[in-house]
Amino acid sequence: MFKVSKEFSFDMAHLLDGHDGKCQNLHGHTYKLQVEIAGDLHQYGAKKAMVMDFSDLKAIVKKAILDPMDHAFIYDQTSERESKIAHLLQDLRSKTFGVPFRTTAEEMARFIFNRLKYEEKLPVSAIRLWETPTSFCEYGE
């Protein structure tokens, strides 16, 4: 079995309602996302000797993750405070992306993994998400 990965970058704002530090305030990150795919090599056809064509992987990640999340305010739909901020931004025609969980790097990595593996049917083995250049989390099988 082979593992291949591709890295992506996107910008997003968030806050952690109820946090006991400075992350309770609205702030942004330039996230680095690494998507790892595992599988055997294709035996025939245009994709012969590949686990997956990197351009196909890029197109799927762009559609499922980058297009909706890049330059958005990601917010926890279960938080009244974060939802109020999101509604104000929506009224001002700013991009938002709601999720039903706290927007920690850990939960976002799990969300991205599940979206790609189960909704997009990619053979994802791991997701690595850097929130800062020196801080990342990994989620996978």
Side-chain angles (χ1 to χ4, degrees):
M1 178 179 313
F2 285 87
K3 292 182 179 179
V4 297
S5 64
K6 185 157 182 62
E7 292 184 359
F8 305 88
S9 178
F10 61 100
D11 297 294
M12 206 161 44
H14 76 139
L15 60 94
L16 297 176
D17 188 25
H19 184 61
D20 60 358
K22 62 184 179 178
C23 291
Q24 67 184 304
N25 298 306
L26 182 62
H27 62 285
H29 299 283
T30 297
Y31 291 90
K32 182 171 88 169
L33 170 66
Q34 185 180 73
V35 178
E36 181 182 275
I37 304 295
D40 295 323
L41 301 180
H42 288 277
Q43 297 297 311
Y44 308 100
K47 312 295 186 201
K48 182 178 178 180
M50 296 179 179
V51 173
M52 181 174 197
D53 189 316
F54 286 118
S55 65
D56 294 338
L57 177 57
K58 180 180 176 181
I60 293 168
V61 172
K62 181 181 183 309
K63 176 184 71 87
I65 306 300
L66 302 181
D67 287 348
M69 296 174 79
D70 186 33
H71 282 81
F73 170 63
I74 187 170
Y75 68 100
D76 179 354
Q77 296 165 320
T78 69
S79 163
E80 183 180 345
R81 179 174 174 237
E82 292 184 33
S83 293
K84 283 182 180 179
I85 294 167
H87 289 122
L88 174 61
L89 290 170
Q90 291 160 2
D91 288 346
L92 296 171
R93 299 176 193 215
S94 290
K95 188 175 177 182
T96 64
F97 187 81
V99 292
F101 53 81
R102 198 169 196 212
T103 59
T104 62
E106 294 88 344
E107 289 289 7
M108 289 172 38
R110 178 175 21 206
F111 170 80
I112 292 168
F113 178 91
N114 288 334
R115 179 170 265 200
L116 293 175
K117 185 163 187 85
Y118 300 111
E119 292 178 30
E120 298 300 324
K121 308 296 188 211
L122 283 175
V124 179
S125 55
I127 292 294
R128 291 172 196 89
L129 184 66
W130 282 258
E131 193 172 70
T132 69
T134 60
S135 302
F136 84 97
C137 69
E138 179 174 347
Y139 185 80
E141 298 177 330

